[in-house]
Structures are given as structure tokens and as C-alpha cells.
Amino acid sequence: MRSVIDILDLSVAEIDQLLATAQDVIAHPADYAHVCDGKKLATLFFEPSTRTRLSFEAAMYELGGHVISMASAASSSSAKGESVADTAKVVSCYADIIAMRHPKEGAALVAAQNATVPVINAGDGGHCHPTQTLADLLTIWREKGRFCDLTVGLCGDLKFGRTVHSLINALSRYGDVRFVLISPEELKVPSYVKRDVLQAGGIPYEQTTDLEGALPGLDILYMTRVQKERFFNEEDYLRLKDSYILTPQKLKNARADLTIMHPLPRVNEISVAIDDDPRACYFKQVLNGKFMRMALMLKLLKEAGTL
Ligand code: NCD
């Protein structure tokens, strides 16, 4: 059974095909309004979410299908001690496809190994978040029209930010991308990502703490929030949470065609004064996420023989 746990579970050719499907959905939504008639998505979210969960649910409704869900992790059987493996087996009896978010790294993989329907990882701890990356890729494609010859600045919590890890993995497979990794010393990209992806792929990157210094050279700036829930003590979080705040003043030396992204939720990292700047693309990312989730669910349901 084909599941998507990591962005690397999809080949570059498959991602290109998903981008094409999403753009076809955007152009011809009526053609897709009934393709999933009678099908059911189960959303299993063991961690807070607004966008990802609602976006999966809206995506399934726009394909004509239905959604089943649990109100919260606290109200599900996991609170009684049920394992992820058992939950996956049980939910497979009710749904044609599962989207799951869990605070533990690897939980979605365990679910996929036990489910009899496709499982999509909607975020596992500080590990990865492939469907946010699909949203990010469609945004970059629509804004820039290319994935190569780009200087991409990633700023904020690069240690715990799972969207950052997945995006580095995805963009590194397209040629000629350079990364500028902007973070406090304590929140640098994990060494396994640097070693296994950037160094192994010969991808140029630099690490800095200086956002303003890096800004003029960037084609894309991907801001992230400091991941409060993954800190071991509150003191460290409070010290680091406002390390970077993007303001109109700081954008003065940025390129006129800069693309400003953020997976959201935003806390303080981007001043609301930037929201009306034509370079701000974070709300477009939200919409793009729904279209890519539609494309991904269609693909997995077709491969499973459900459609
Ligand atoms: C991200 C996540 O859950 O990792 N949110 C999202 O899905 N758009 C980013 C975050 O929580 O900071």
C-alpha cells in the first residue's frame, strides 16, 4: 500500500505530476467535484492544527468525498493507551485514506506499516511534513516558474521546524539551488540534514545568524516560528522566540521580486505590516496546500485501486 511519509517517498517526476494535477484542479475545479464521491478521508490529529487539518478536509470535500475525524487526541482511544498501530488498523476499516499528525517522530511510518489504506503524514514531531512541502513547491512554482537557479533563505527555528527539513530535501533534488540557513546558534539545521542532504548532494549552503545581511541576496525567504512545543525548558524558548522579526524596515534592501513564505502559524516572525506587500506569499501558500492535497489524495486513491 502506497503511503507518503517523507517527501522523498515521491520522485521528482511524481512531484511534477502532482504540480500539474493541482494546476489543472485550479483551472477546472468542476471536473474534479465528484471524482471522490462516496470516498472517505479520516483525519487523525494528535497535535494542534488549523490549516493542515482543515485543508485536508476541504480538499476531500472539493473532490466530492466525506471526512471522518476525532474531536481531539484527548477524546480518542490513544488517551486510553491504544497504540498508533492499532489505531491505524481500526481506522482502515472505516476510511479509504488517512491523514495523520502526531508529536512523535516516526508515528506516521508506524501507522502506514499497519494500515490497509494509504496514510499521509501530516507532520510527525520535529521530523517532516511532506504536504506542507508540496504547498511550498506549488507556491514557488507559481511565483518563480522554476526550482533551479534560486537562492533560498530559511530563517528561524531550523532545528525543530519539520517544514524546513522537508523543503531542503525537496529542493535539493532540483539542480542549482543555494541555501542560506539563518538561525540562532541553538536552532541550526540538524547535522543529519546537513550531512545526508546538503553535503551528500554537494548543495551550496551557508549558515548565519544575520537576517538583514543575508536578505539582499535572496530569491525566497522562508520564515518559521520558534517551535515552542519542542523545547525542553521555557526559559530557552522565551530567550529565542523573538530572534527574528521581519519588518518593512528590514525589507528595504531585499529584492523587488523576493518571495516571502511562512508555513504558518505566525507568532511574531513577520510584522503584519508586511501582509499587504506584494512579496508576501504566505496566505497564497495556504490555498496552494489545499490543491496539492487534492492532487496527492487523488494519486494515492488511484494507486490503491479505490478510484
Ligand atoms: C507547520 C507545522 O505544523 O509544522 N504548520 C503547518 O502545518 N502549516 C509549522 C509550524 O507549526 O510552525
Side-chain angles (χ1 to χ4, degrees):
M1 183 60 57
R2 182 92 190 270
S3 287
V4 171
I5 306 306
D6 191 303
I7 194 69
L8 296 177
D9 293 340
L10 296 164
S11 68
V12 170
E14 285 178 314
I15 289 179
D16 289 346
Q17 189 200 356
L18 290 173
L19 291 164
T21 305
Q23 289 174 95
D24 198 54
V25 172
I26 294 169
H28 310 286
D31 292 356
Y32 293 86
H34 295 288
V35 285
C36 286
D37 276 359
K39 305 300 172 209
K40 277 175 286 177
L41 160 73
T43 49
L44 302 182
F45 278 63
F46 297 93
E47 252 194 356
S49 168
T50 302
R51 260 155 309 281
T52 306
R53 178 175 179 155
L54 294 185
S55 149
F56 267 109
E57 296 185 355
M60 186 46 103
Y61 282 121
E62 288 188 27
L63 292 169
H66 304 279
V67 177
I68 57 173
S69 195
M70 57 199 198
S72 67
S75 67
S76 76
S77 283
S78 76
K80 298 181 188 169
E82 186 169 66
S83 66
V84 166
D86 282 2
T87 302
K89 284 181 188 158
V90 168
V91 176
S92 297
C93 300
Y94 305 138
D96 300 293
I97 189 163
I98 296 171
M100 189 176 106
R101 168 171 291 187
H102 199 282
K104 287 205 180 116
E105 287 82 3
L109 179 62
V110 171
Q113 285 164 342
N114 288 279
T116 52
V117 299
V119 173
I120 302 175
N121 181 9
D124 61 329
H127 183 219
C128 52
H129 193 349
T131 62
Q132 179 63 46
T133 299
L134 294 176
D136 299 341
L137 291 175
L138 181 57
T139 306
I140 294 171
W141 185 253
R142 295 180 84 188
E143 295 304 313
K144 295 283 187 240
R146 65 183 197 277
F147 292 129
C148 53
D149 188 26
L150 289 172
T151 302
V152 181
L154 299 160
C155 177
D157 186 346
L158 308 187
K159 178 179 180 185
F160 296 118
R162 54 194 174 195
T163 66
V164 166
H165 308 156
S166 293
L167 186 58
I168 291 176
N169 258 306
L171 284 176
S172 293
R173 292 192 293 177
Y174 292 91
D176 197 14
V177 175
R178 301 164 291 280
F179 292 104
V180 185
L181 307 173
I182 309 156
S183 73
E185 283 297 324
E186 295 97 319
L187 298 178
K188 283 179 166 172
V189 168
S191 47
Y192 76 89
V193 175
K194 273 184 273 189
R195 187 190 57 231
D196 299 348
V197 186
L198 297 172
Q199 289 157 10
I203 312 292
Y205 71 95
E206 60 181 274
Q207 298 187 96
T208 176
T209 54
D210 179 13
L211 170 61
E212 276 171 276
L215 254 173
L218 303 181
D219 297 302
I220 293 170
L221 172 61
Y222 192 96
M223 295 294 292
T224 61
R225 120 190 120 86
V226 175
Q227 305 278 301
K228 181 179 184 186
E229 64 275 36
R230 315 227 186 275
F231 275 74
F232 295 110
N233 72 70
E234 184 156 5
E235 234 171 71
D236 285 348
Y237 170 71
L238 293 174
R239 182 168 50 81
L240 294 167
K241 74 183 176 63
D242 290 327
S243 300
Y244 300 102
I245 301 179
L246 190 66
T247 58
Q249 172 69 25
K250 288 190 187 145
L251 273 181
K252 272 200 178 131
N253 295 322
R255 291 193 183 154
D257 65 349
L258 174 71
T259 298
I260 305 169
M261 300 173 67
H262 191 308
L264 304 177
R266 157 175 60 185
V267 185
N268 278 330
E269 314 76 53
I270 302 182
S271 149
V272 291
I274 290 176
D275 295 359
D276 293 329
D277 187 307
R279 293 171 288 188
C281 292
Y282 26 95
F283 293 111
K284 291 184 189 171
Q285 262 170 284
V286 176
L287 195 56
N288 289 332
K290 183 185 70 181
F291 296 124
M292 287 306 273
R293 290 180 177 109
M294 289 169 81
L296 181 62
M297 286 194 288
L298 278 176
K299 175 181 171 61
L300 294 180
L301 287 169
K302 275 186 198 150
E303 286 185 22
T306 310
L307 286 183

